[in-house]
Amino acid sequence: MSTKQKIHIFDTSLRDGEQVPGCKLNTKEKIELAIKLEDLGVDVIEAGFPISSPGDFSSVEEISKVIKNATVCGLTRAVKKDIEAAADALKLAKRPRIHTGIGSSDNHIKYKFNSTREQILERAVEAVKYARSFVDDVEFYAEDAGRADIDFLAKLTEAVIAAGATVVNVPDTTGFNLPFQYQEKIEFLVNKVPNIDKAILSCHNHNDLGLATANAIAGAIGGARQIECTINGIGERAGNTSLEEVVMIINKHPELGFYTDVKPELLVPMSHLISDTMRMMVQANKAVVGSNAFAHSSGIHQDGFLKESSTYEIINPKEVGADGFQSIVLTARSGRAALAFRMRGLGHEFTRDEMDNLYAQFLDVADSKKEVNDEDLKELALSFASAKA
Ligand code: KIV
Ligand code: ZN
């Protein structure tokens, strides 16, 4: 029996991810993506913010009808009419969750709410109780927890759990924390909140300093059991924690003692689907799913990789559903072995002497281009064959 702890994967591509300018999805697109997210194996799908627009309401409603196993979640502010709209949109979901919350840092309390810690705590408790009157599963987010006073955060966490929250989300809304700070925050809550065993803690990290994934993993090490993330790390500003990074870190580091139910071989197809549907390109060097994530270009790396792939690859591209064929990128820095490998892939074999000759021609082409592609290789092979004849 596995002693590993499950990390619940909460996908918010359709809510936080969709907040990217120009990436608005219609209901049909959202339904298709939600079905694929369920196939991928995520535990929770945050389908939208029902009060925000009729389109978002209907997306949450329609997704609730088609999703069979995953929890479907709707976001709200700590406002009665938001909670009523979410409950209404989720009424046909098999496993509905209302995600309600309010700012928890002094910055948000003062500038966003012109309020006090006491009033915020009261509103939080009221919102959770109200949400619990509609559904059994209520997640509370303490917005900007990353910059909140830790004693107040602990008091708030205790109060919302007592009010019925099943999950407490600790968002680093501005992506400000360092991994050790975020881990300490979670550890503090785990150790100091008396009723913490009645709920699970959730990591929600933004990528403003490029630390979203590192912070989420640090939070899990600190005791959180849910990670909120998006495909390709899409989201507000610099984005959210990347789902694919979280899953592969957990898979590649069994010493963490975690597992997820995500099927890794579907990660790259899911990344393409999100990128195409949202019309948002994935940067080439993006970890796990970028087009260069498994591309080896320098001669030294190509030589090592062709002898034994583990010299320069910790993930086999097939594990994440990527086609490994283009793993050797041909440039003027590539060697003979790399050229022979790609030629073999196109059905052309050469003797050692022929390869010496061909390699000289290849370098002429490579010097005039950034990358030598299949078409160039086919032409090279053809002119080589006709010169021989
Ligand atoms: O970043 C954030 O704080 C959020 C909350 C609404 C959960 O997205
Ligand atoms: Zn967020």
Side-chain angles (χ1 to χ4, degrees), residues 15-16 173 204 206 240:
R15 199 278 298 169
D16 220 340
T173 305
H204 181 111
H206 279 268
N240 290 57

Side-chain angles (χ1 to χ4, degrees), residues 86-133:
D88 196 14
L90 289 165
K91 65 181 177 301
L92 293 177
K94 314 245 169 347
R95 296 171 201 260
R97 176 182 293 179
I98 293 178
H99 189 189
T100 189
I102 196 162
S104 64
S105 66
D106 289 334
N107 178 299
H108 276 217
I109 294 172
K110 178 169 175 205
Y111 297 116
K112 252 184 91 171
F113 297 99
N114 187 23
S115 187
T116 62
R117 288 184 186 176
E118 291 67 32
Q119 285 168 357
I120 289 289
L121 193 134
E122 233 172 79
R123 279 185 64 180
V125 165
E126 238 177 74
V128 170
K129 282 190 176 156
Y130 195 53
R132 274 302 298 258
S133 71

Side-chain angles (χ1 to χ4, degrees), residues 15-16 19 75 99 141 143-144 169 171-173 204 206 228 240:
R15 199 278 298 169
D16 220 340
Q19 289 172 211
L75 186 79
H99 189 189
Y141 64 86
E143 196 179 10
D144 203 19
N169 177 6
D172 183 18
T173 305
H204 181 111
H206 279 268
E228 309 197 0
N240 290 57

